[in-house]
mmCIF file of all heavy atoms in Angstrom:
data_model
loop_
_atom_site.group_PDB
_atom_site.id
_atom_site.type_symbol
_atom_site.label_atom_id
_atom_site.label_comp_id
_atom_site.label_asym_id
_atom_site.label_seq_id
_atom_site.Cartn_x
_atom_site.Cartn_y
_atom_site.Cartn_z
ATOM 1 N N SER A 53 9.557 -53.577 45.295
ATOM 2 C CA SER A 53 10.687 -53.181 46.103
ATOM 3 C C SER A 53 11.729 -52.385 45.261
ATOM 4 O O SER A 53 12.635 -51.836 45.827
ATOM 5 C CB SER A 53 11.340 -54.385 46.769
ATOM 6 O OG SER A 53 11.651 -55.377 45.799
ATOM 7 N N GLY A 54 11.512 -52.314 43.979
ATOM 8 C CA GLY A 54 12.335 -51.403 43.186
ATOM 9 C C GLY A 54 13.507 -51.976 42.502
ATOM 10 O O GLY A 54 14.458 -51.266 42.145
ATOM 11 N N ARG A 55 13.532 -53.275 42.300
ATOM 12 C CA ARG A 55 14.690 -53.910 41.590
ATOM 13 C C ARG A 55 14.709 -53.474 40.122
ATOM 14 O O ARG A 55 13.682 -53.249 39.506
ATOM 15 C CB ARG A 55 14.527 -55.400 41.664
ATOM 16 C CG ARG A 55 15.725 -56.149 41.192
ATOM 17 C CD ARG A 55 15.388 -57.638 41.040
ATOM 18 N NE ARG A 55 16.573 -58.392 40.665
ATOM 19 C CZ ARG A 55 17.196 -59.249 41.440
ATOM 20 N NH1 ARG A 55 16.717 -59.508 42.621
ATOM 21 N NH2 ARG A 55 18.261 -59.889 41.018
ATOM 22 N N GLU A 76 13.196 -44.580 44.962
ATOM 23 C CA GLU A 76 14.376 -45.454 44.914
ATOM 24 C C GLU A 76 14.088 -46.612 45.881
ATOM 25 O O GLU A 76 13.327 -46.460 46.824
ATOM 26 C CB GLU A 76 15.614 -44.669 45.356
ATOM 27 C CG GLU A 76 16.016 -43.549 44.435
ATOM 28 C CD GLU A 76 16.482 -44.006 43.070
ATOM 29 O OE1 GLU A 76 16.982 -45.171 42.982
ATOM 30 O OE2 GLU A 76 16.311 -43.279 42.095
ATOM 31 N N PRO A 77 14.796 -47.715 45.686
ATOM 32 C CA PRO A 77 14.598 -48.866 46.598
ATOM 33 C C PRO A 77 14.755 -48.482 48.063
ATOM 34 O O PRO A 77 13.971 -48.907 48.929
ATOM 35 C CB PRO A 77 15.654 -49.867 46.189
ATOM 36 C CG PRO A 77 15.949 -49.522 44.751
ATOM 37 C CD PRO A 77 15.760 -48.058 44.622
ATOM 38 N N GLU A 78 15.820 -47.670 48.362
ATOM 39 C CA GLU A 78 16.060 -47.305 49.761
ATOM 40 C C GLU A 78 14.955 -46.420 50.333
ATOM 41 O O GLU A 78 14.660 -46.430 51.528
ATOM 42 C CB GLU A 78 17.418 -46.651 49.939
ATOM 43 C CG GLU A 78 17.691 -45.431 49.049
ATOM 44 C CD GLU A 78 18.384 -45.787 47.738
ATOM 45 O OE1 GLU A 78 18.087 -46.901 47.164
ATOM 46 O OE2 GLU A 78 19.193 -44.977 47.272
ATOM 47 N N ALA A 81 12.102 -48.687 51.271
ATOM 48 C CA ALA A 81 12.401 -49.325 52.532
ATOM 49 C C ALA A 81 12.112 -48.336 53.705
ATOM 50 O O ALA A 81 11.472 -48.729 54.694
ATOM 51 C CB ALA A 81 13.829 -49.769 52.591
ATOM 52 N N PHE A 86 9.132 -53.870 53.119
ATOM 53 C CA PHE A 86 10.179 -54.840 53.352
ATOM 54 C C PHE A 86 9.947 -56.066 52.465
ATOM 55 O O PHE A 86 8.865 -56.630 52.473
ATOM 56 C CB PHE A 86 10.245 -55.275 54.809
ATOM 57 C CG PHE A 86 11.360 -56.235 55.113
ATOM 58 C CD1 PHE A 86 12.604 -55.793 55.554
ATOM 59 C CD2 PHE A 86 11.201 -57.603 54.954
ATOM 60 C CE1 PHE A 86 13.639 -56.662 55.824
ATOM 61 C CE2 PHE A 86 12.229 -58.478 55.219
ATOM 62 C CZ PHE A 86 13.431 -58.037 55.655
ATOM 63 N N LEU A 87 10.984 -56.453 51.749
ATOM 64 C CA LEU A 87 10.902 -57.686 50.949
ATOM 65 C C LEU A 87 11.832 -58.743 51.574
ATOM 66 O O LEU A 87 13.037 -58.537 51.674
ATOM 67 C CB LEU A 87 11.339 -57.436 49.504
ATOM 68 C CG LEU A 87 11.550 -58.695 48.651
ATOM 69 C CD1 LEU A 87 10.281 -59.465 48.441
ATOM 70 C CD2 LEU A 87 12.174 -58.315 47.292
ATOM 71 N N PHE A 89 13.675 -61.795 50.784
ATOM 72 C CA PHE A 89 14.083 -62.364 49.507
ATOM 73 C C PHE A 89 13.921 -63.862 49.439
ATOM 74 O O PHE A 89 14.160 -64.582 50.414
ATOM 75 C CB PHE A 89 15.559 -62.028 49.211
ATOM 76 C CG PHE A 89 15.802 -60.620 48.786
ATOM 77 C CD1 PHE A 89 15.487 -59.592 49.611
ATOM 78 C CD2 PHE A 89 16.458 -60.349 47.582
ATOM 79 C CE1 PHE A 89 15.757 -58.234 49.209
ATOM 80 C CE2 PHE A 89 16.719 -59.036 47.168
ATOM 81 C CZ PHE A 89 16.366 -58.009 48.001
ATOM 82 N N ILE A 95 26.949 -61.456 50.924
ATOM 83 C CA ILE A 95 27.820 -60.304 50.753
ATOM 84 C C ILE A 95 29.114 -60.492 51.566
ATOM 85 O O ILE A 95 29.209 -60.068 52.712
ATOM 86 C CB ILE A 95 27.128 -59.003 51.200
ATOM 87 C CG1 ILE A 95 25.732 -58.881 50.533
ATOM 88 C CG2 ILE A 95 27.957 -57.775 50.799
ATOM 89 C CD1 ILE A 95 24.997 -57.631 50.861
ATOM 90 N N PRO A 96 30.093 -61.139 50.963
ATOM 91 C CA PRO A 96 31.365 -61.387 51.669
ATOM 92 C C PRO A 96 31.999 -60.024 51.999
ATOM 93 O O PRO A 96 31.946 -59.093 51.195
ATOM 94 C CB PRO A 96 32.190 -62.142 50.697
ATOM 95 C CG PRO A 96 31.281 -62.555 49.556
ATOM 96 C CD PRO A 96 30.157 -61.601 49.600
ATOM 97 N N GLY A 97 32.574 -59.919 53.184
ATOM 98 C CA GLY A 97 33.330 -58.719 53.558
ATOM 99 C C GLY A 97 32.500 -57.716 54.336
ATOM 100 O O GLY A 97 33.034 -56.749 54.834
ATOM 101 N N VAL A 98 31.156 -57.913 54.381
ATOM 102 C CA VAL A 98 30.303 -57.006 55.167
ATOM 103 C C VAL A 98 29.745 -57.851 56.351
ATOM 104 O O VAL A 98 29.035 -58.812 56.116
ATOM 105 C CB VAL A 98 29.161 -56.412 54.363
ATOM 106 C CG1 VAL A 98 28.241 -55.576 55.283
ATOM 107 C CG2 VAL A 98 29.702 -55.569 53.223
ATOM 108 N N PHE A 103 25.938 -54.601 58.858
ATOM 109 C CA PHE A 103 24.886 -54.444 57.858
ATOM 110 C C PHE A 103 23.589 -54.071 58.489
ATOM 111 O O PHE A 103 22.919 -53.099 58.086
ATOM 112 C CB PHE A 103 24.805 -55.749 57.065
ATOM 113 C CG PHE A 103 23.546 -55.946 56.320
ATOM 114 C CD1 PHE A 103 23.153 -55.073 55.280
ATOM 115 C CD2 PHE A 103 22.680 -56.997 56.617
ATOM 116 C CE1 PHE A 103 21.991 -55.257 54.571
ATOM 117 C CE2 PHE A 103 21.516 -57.183 55.921
ATOM 118 C CZ PHE A 103 21.160 -56.327 54.900
ATOM 119 N N THR A 106 23.733 -50.522 59.972
ATOM 120 C CA THR A 106 23.725 -49.534 58.919
ATOM 121 C C THR A 106 22.307 -49.355 58.368
ATOM 122 O O THR A 106 21.832 -48.255 58.129
ATOM 123 C CB THR A 106 24.690 -49.942 57.781
ATOM 124 O OG1 THR A 106 25.977 -50.173 58.344
ATOM 125 C CG2 THR A 106 24.818 -48.816 56.750
ATOM 126 N N ALA A 107 21.640 -50.485 58.141
ATOM 127 C CA ALA A 107 20.290 -50.450 57.563
ATOM 128 C C ALA A 107 19.317 -49.772 58.522
ATOM 129 O O ALA A 107 18.546 -48.892 58.133
ATOM 130 C CB ALA A 107 19.832 -51.894 57.249
ATOM 131 N N ALA A 110 20.154 -46.074 58.648
ATOM 132 C CA ALA A 110 19.867 -45.401 57.383
ATOM 133 C C ALA A 110 18.357 -45.096 57.282
ATOM 134 O O ALA A 110 17.960 -43.988 56.877
ATOM 135 C CB ALA A 110 20.316 -46.259 56.210
ATOM 136 N N GLN A 111 17.537 -46.072 57.696
ATOM 137 C CA GLN A 111 16.101 -45.860 57.651
ATOM 138 C C GLN A 111 15.671 -44.805 58.662
ATOM 139 O O GLN A 111 14.817 -43.953 58.379
ATOM 140 C CB GLN A 111 15.384 -47.165 57.915
ATOM 141 C CG GLN A 111 15.548 -48.150 56.769
ATOM 142 C CD GLN A 111 14.472 -49.222 56.741
ATOM 143 O OE1 GLN A 111 13.438 -49.101 57.400
ATOM 144 N NE2 GLN A 111 14.683 -50.258 55.965
ATOM 145 N N ASN A 148 25.008 -63.429 55.141
ATOM 146 C CA ASN A 148 24.529 -64.624 54.412
ATOM 147 C C ASN A 148 25.646 -65.552 53.872
ATOM 148 O O ASN A 148 25.323 -66.552 53.233
ATOM 149 C CB ASN A 148 23.573 -64.252 53.277
ATOM 150 C CG ASN A 148 22.301 -63.600 53.760
ATOM 151 O OD1 ASN A 148 21.802 -63.971 54.817
ATOM 152 N ND2 ASN A 148 21.776 -62.654 53.042
ATOM 153 N N GLU A 160 16.682 -63.250 57.224
ATOM 154 C CA GLU A 160 15.751 -62.286 56.620
ATOM 155 C C GLU A 160 14.740 -61.852 57.657
ATOM 156 O O GLU A 160 14.379 -60.671 57.728
ATOM 157 C CB GLU A 160 15.016 -62.956 55.452
ATOM 158 C CG GLU A 160 15.870 -63.297 54.237
ATOM 159 C CD GLU A 160 16.347 -62.033 53.490
ATOM 160 O OE1 GLU A 160 15.528 -61.335 52.865
ATOM 161 O OE2 GLU A 160 17.536 -61.726 53.632
ATOM 162 N N GLN A 163 16.106 -59.403 60.062
ATOM 163 C CA GLN A 163 16.175 -58.044 59.472
ATOM 164 C C GLN A 163 14.770 -57.385 59.537
ATOM 165 O O GLN A 163 14.643 -56.232 59.857
ATOM 166 C CB GLN A 163 16.664 -58.111 58.027
ATOM 167 C CG GLN A 163 18.106 -58.530 57.873
ATOM 168 C CD GLN A 163 18.448 -58.911 56.453
ATOM 169 O OE1 GLN A 163 17.964 -58.291 55.514
ATOM 170 N NE2 GLN A 163 19.308 -59.902 56.296
ATOM 171 N N ASP B 379 28.668 -55.895 42.382
ATOM 172 C CA ASP B 379 27.636 -56.872 42.264
ATOM 173 C C ASP B 379 26.288 -56.202 42.413
ATOM 174 O O ASP B 379 25.923 -55.704 43.507
ATOM 175 C CB ASP B 379 27.870 -57.911 43.416
ATOM 176 C CG ASP B 379 26.809 -58.988 43.407
ATOM 177 O OD1 ASP B 379 25.819 -58.893 42.678
ATOM 178 O OD2 ASP B 379 26.990 -59.965 44.172
ATOM 179 N N ASP B 381 23.294 -57.392 42.439
ATOM 180 C CA ASP B 381 22.368 -58.077 43.367
ATOM 181 C C ASP B 381 22.626 -57.616 44.787
ATOM 182 O O ASP B 381 21.696 -57.392 45.552
ATOM 183 C CB ASP B 381 22.503 -59.593 43.239
ATOM 184 C CG ASP B 381 21.926 -60.115 41.960
ATOM 185 O OD1 ASP B 381 21.069 -59.398 41.371
ATOM 186 O OD2 ASP B 381 22.341 -61.202 41.513
ATOM 187 N N ALA B 382 23.922 -57.555 45.148
ATOM 188 C CA ALA B 382 24.291 -57.169 46.494
ATOM 189 C C ALA B 382 23.885 -55.688 46.731
ATOM 190 O O ALA B 382 23.396 -55.315 47.781
ATOM 191 C CB ALA B 382 25.768 -57.350 46.724
ATOM 192 N N LEU B 383 24.123 -54.861 45.697
ATOM 193 C CA LEU B 383 23.716 -53.461 45.799
ATOM 194 C C LEU B 383 22.214 -53.305 46.051
ATOM 195 O O LEU B 383 21.804 -52.538 46.892
ATOM 196 C CB LEU B 383 24.161 -52.760 44.490
ATOM 197 C CG LEU B 383 24.215 -51.235 44.511
ATOM 198 C CD1 LEU B 383 25.179 -50.747 45.572
ATOM 199 C CD2 LEU B 383 24.629 -50.743 43.143
ATOM 200 N N PHE B 384 21.434 -54.057 45.273
ATOM 201 C CA PHE B 384 19.969 -53.977 45.464
ATOM 202 C C PHE B 384 19.566 -54.482 46.819
ATOM 203 O O PHE B 384 18.723 -53.906 47.476
ATOM 204 C CB PHE B 384 19.254 -54.775 44.347
ATOM 205 C CG PHE B 384 17.752 -54.832 44.592
ATOM 206 C CD1 PHE B 384 17.025 -53.682 44.497
ATOM 207 C CD2 PHE B 384 17.131 -56.015 44.887
ATOM 208 C CE1 PHE B 384 15.631 -53.687 44.753
ATOM 209 C CE2 PHE B 384 15.774 -56.047 45.101
ATOM 210 C CZ PHE B 384 15.019 -54.897 45.044
ATOM 211 N N TYR B 385 20.223 -55.552 47.263
ATOM 212 C CA TYR B 385 19.867 -56.131 48.582
ATOM 213 C C TYR B 385 20.083 -55.071 49.670
ATOM 214 O O TYR B 385 19.205 -54.856 50.535
ATOM 215 C CB TYR B 385 20.761 -57.322 48.839
ATOM 216 C CG TYR B 385 20.408 -58.188 50.039
ATOM 217 C CD1 TYR B 385 19.262 -58.952 50.043
ATOM 218 C CD2 TYR B 385 21.215 -58.209 51.181
ATOM 219 C CE1 TYR B 385 18.929 -59.740 51.098
ATOM 220 C CE2 TYR B 385 20.881 -58.978 52.232
ATOM 221 C CZ TYR B 385 19.709 -59.744 52.240
ATOM 222 O OH TYR B 385 19.412 -60.530 53.308
ATOM 223 N N LEU B 386 21.237 -54.404 49.641
ATOM 224 C CA LEU B 386 21.510 -53.373 50.652
ATOM 225 C C LEU B 386 20.487 -52.213 50.523
ATOM 226 O O LEU B 386 19.986 -51.684 51.530
ATOM 227 C CB LEU B 386 22.935 -52.808 50.454
ATOM 228 C CG LEU B 386 24.053 -53.782 50.810
ATOM 229 C CD1 LEU B 386 25.414 -53.175 50.439
ATOM 230 C CD2 LEU B 386 24.047 -54.097 52.281
ATOM 231 N N ARG B 387 20.184 -51.816 49.302
ATOM 232 C CA ARG B 387 19.259 -50.667 49.109
ATOM 233 C C ARG B 387 17.869 -51.065 49.558
ATOM 234 O O ARG B 387 17.121 -50.241 50.141
ATOM 235 C CB ARG B 387 19.259 -50.266 47.631
ATOM 236 C CG ARG B 387 20.613 -49.671 47.196
ATOM 237 C CD ARG B 387 20.580 -49.288 45.748
ATOM 238 N NE ARG B 387 19.770 -48.104 45.532
ATOM 239 C CZ ARG B 387 19.341 -47.711 44.324
ATOM 240 N NH1 ARG B 387 19.642 -48.428 43.248
ATOM 241 N NH2 ARG B 387 18.645 -46.594 44.214
ATOM 242 N N ALA B 388 17.463 -52.319 49.311
ATOM 243 C CA ALA B 388 16.163 -52.786 49.701
ATOM 244 C C ALA B 388 16.011 -52.798 51.211
ATOM 245 O O ALA B 388 14.907 -52.853 51.723
ATOM 246 C CB ALA B 388 15.895 -54.160 49.161
ATOM 247 N N ARG B 389 17.138 -52.727 51.902
ATOM 248 C CA ARG B 389 17.085 -52.630 53.367
ATOM 249 C C ARG B 389 17.215 -51.202 53.805
ATOM 250 O O ARG B 389 17.323 -50.910 55.039
ATOM 251 C CB ARG B 389 18.201 -53.507 53.965
ATOM 252 C CG ARG B 389 18.068 -54.991 53.723
ATOM 253 C CD ARG B 389 16.807 -55.527 54.420
ATOM 254 N NE ARG B 389 16.594 -56.919 54.076
ATOM 255 C CZ ARG B 389 15.682 -57.386 53.227
ATOM 256 N NH1 ARG B 389 14.895 -56.528 52.573
ATOM 257 N NH2 ARG B 389 15.531 -58.650 52.955
ATOM 258 N N GLY B 390 17.236 -50.291 52.896
ATOM 259 C CA GLY B 390 17.210 -48.872 53.278
ATOM 260 C C GLY B 390 18.536 -48.139 53.200
ATOM 261 O O GLY B 390 18.630 -46.971 53.479
ATOM 262 N N VAL B 391 19.598 -48.871 52.788
ATOM 263 C CA VAL B 391 20.905 -48.220 52.726
ATOM 264 C C VAL B 391 20.995 -47.437 51.399
ATOM 265 O O VAL B 391 20.856 -48.065 50.318
ATOM 266 C CB VAL B 391 22.067 -49.263 52.776
ATOM 267 C CG1 VAL B 391 23.414 -48.582 52.797
ATOM 268 C CG2 VAL B 391 21.894 -50.132 54.057
ATOM 269 N N PRO B 392 21.202 -46.151 51.431
ATOM 270 C CA PRO B 392 21.258 -45.384 50.207
ATOM 271 C C PRO B 392 22.352 -45.876 49.232
ATOM 272 O O PRO B 392 23.354 -46.392 49.682
ATOM 273 C CB PRO B 392 21.558 -43.941 50.638
ATOM 274 C CG PRO B 392 21.190 -43.895 52.067
ATOM 275 C CD PRO B 392 21.357 -45.269 52.607
ATOM 276 N N ARG B 393 22.112 -45.666 47.938
ATOM 277 C CA ARG B 393 23.009 -46.176 46.936
ATOM 278 C C ARG B 393 24.490 -45.840 47.209
ATOM 279 O O ARG B 393 25.366 -46.708 47.143
ATOM 280 C CB ARG B 393 22.621 -45.654 45.556
ATOM 281 C CG ARG B 393 23.595 -46.100 44.449
ATOM 282 C CD ARG B 393 23.281 -45.419 43.143
ATOM 283 N NE ARG B 393 22.302 -46.125 42.315
ATOM 284 C CZ ARG B 393 22.617 -47.176 41.578
ATOM 285 N NH1 ARG B 393 23.846 -47.656 41.523
ATOM 286 N NH2 ARG B 393 21.679 -47.766 40.904
ATOM 287 N N SER B 394 24.772 -44.589 47.502
ATOM 288 C CA SER B 394 26.180 -44.186 47.671
ATOM 289 C C SER B 394 26.798 -44.917 48.861
ATOM 290 O O SER B 394 27.949 -45.381 48.771
ATOM 291 C CB SER B 394 26.253 -42.654 47.878
ATOM 292 O OG SER B 394 25.469 -42.255 48.964
ATOM 293 N N GLU B 395 26.032 -45.000 49.934
ATOM 294 C CA GLU B 395 26.580 -45.677 51.128
ATOM 295 C C GLU B 395 26.741 -47.200 50.842
ATOM 296 O O GLU B 395 27.730 -47.807 51.250
ATOM 297 C CB GLU B 395 25.621 -45.478 52.252
ATOM 298 C CG GLU B 395 26.280 -45.513 53.657
ATOM 299 C CD GLU B 395 25.213 -45.209 54.741
ATOM 300 O OE1 GLU B 395 24.344 -44.354 54.507
ATOM 301 O OE2 GLU B 395 25.324 -45.828 55.775
ATOM 302 N N MET B 399 30.083 -49.431 51.022
ATOM 303 C CA MET B 399 30.172 -50.683 51.844
ATOM 304 C C MET B 399 30.686 -51.815 51.033
ATOM 305 O O MET B 399 31.577 -52.566 51.499
ATOM 306 C CB MET B 399 28.772 -51.037 52.347
ATOM 307 C CG MET B 399 28.369 -50.416 53.641
ATOM 308 S SD MET B 399 26.679 -50.978 54.111
ATOM 309 C CE MET B 399 27.097 -52.271 55.261
ATOM 310 N N LEU B 400 30.199 -51.950 49.818
ATOM 311 C CA LEU B 400 30.626 -53.060 48.970
ATOM 312 C C LEU B 400 32.091 -52.888 48.500
ATOM 313 O O LEU B 400 32.831 -53.830 48.354
ATOM 314 C CB LEU B 400 29.680 -53.220 47.756
ATOM 315 C CG LEU B 400 28.264 -53.655 48.128
ATOM 316 C CD1 LEU B 400 27.402 -53.680 46.900
ATOM 317 C CD2 LEU B 400 28.269 -55.019 48.753
ATOM 318 N N LEU B 402 34.494 -51.325 50.227
ATOM 319 C CA LEU B 402 35.321 -51.666 51.367
ATOM 320 C C LEU B 402 35.328 -53.160 51.597
ATOM 321 O O LEU B 402 36.369 -53.746 51.965
ATOM 322 C CB LEU B 402 34.864 -50.942 52.636
ATOM 323 C CG LEU B 402 35.130 -49.419 52.607
ATOM 324 C CD1 LEU B 402 34.454 -48.767 53.800
ATOM 325 C CD2 LEU B 402 36.643 -49.114 52.624
ATOM 326 N N ALA B 403 34.201 -53.790 51.354
ATOM 327 C CA ALA B 403 34.138 -55.257 51.493
ATOM 328 C C ALA B 403 35.066 -55.919 50.455
ATOM 329 O O ALA B 403 35.753 -56.906 50.748
ATOM 330 C CB ALA B 403 32.712 -55.751 51.290
ATOM 331 N N PHE B 404 35.085 -55.342 49.296
ATOM 332 C CA PHE B 404 35.998 -55.848 48.226
ATOM 333 C C PHE B 404 37.467 -55.754 48.677
ATOM 334 O O PHE B 404 38.280 -56.616 48.367
ATOM 335 C CB PHE B 404 35.724 -55.023 46.968
ATOM 336 C CG PHE B 404 36.780 -55.209 45.889
ATOM 337 C CD1 PHE B 404 36.811 -56.339 45.075
ATOM 338 C CD2 PHE B 404 37.739 -54.207 45.674
ATOM 339 C CE1 PHE B 404 37.796 -56.471 44.126
ATOM 340 C CE2 PHE B 404 38.699 -54.334 44.708
ATOM 341 C CZ PHE B 404 38.687 -55.504 43.924
ATOM 342 N N ALA B 406 38.533 -55.780 51.746
ATOM 343 C CA ALA B 406 38.765 -56.364 53.069
ATOM 344 C C ALA B 406 39.880 -57.388 53.141
ATOM 345 O O ALA B 406 40.676 -57.378 54.046
ATOM 346 C CB ALA B 406 37.461 -56.941 53.623
#
Side-chain angles (χ1 to χ4, degrees):
Chain A
S53 53
R55 190 191 183 112
E76 296 293 332
E78 55 268 34
F86 182 92
L87 168 65
F89 283 59
I95 311 182
V98 176
F103 161 63
T106 307
Q111 292 202 14
N148 295 325
E160 292 292 289
Q163 292 165 37
Chain B
D379 179 351
D381 288 337
L383 195 59
F384 175 66
Y385 190 71
L386 291 173
R387 295 179 72 195
R389 295 296 175 255
V391 183
R393 176 188 271 281
S394 56
E395 207 175 324
M399 272 180 99
L400 293 176
L402 289 171
F404 166 78

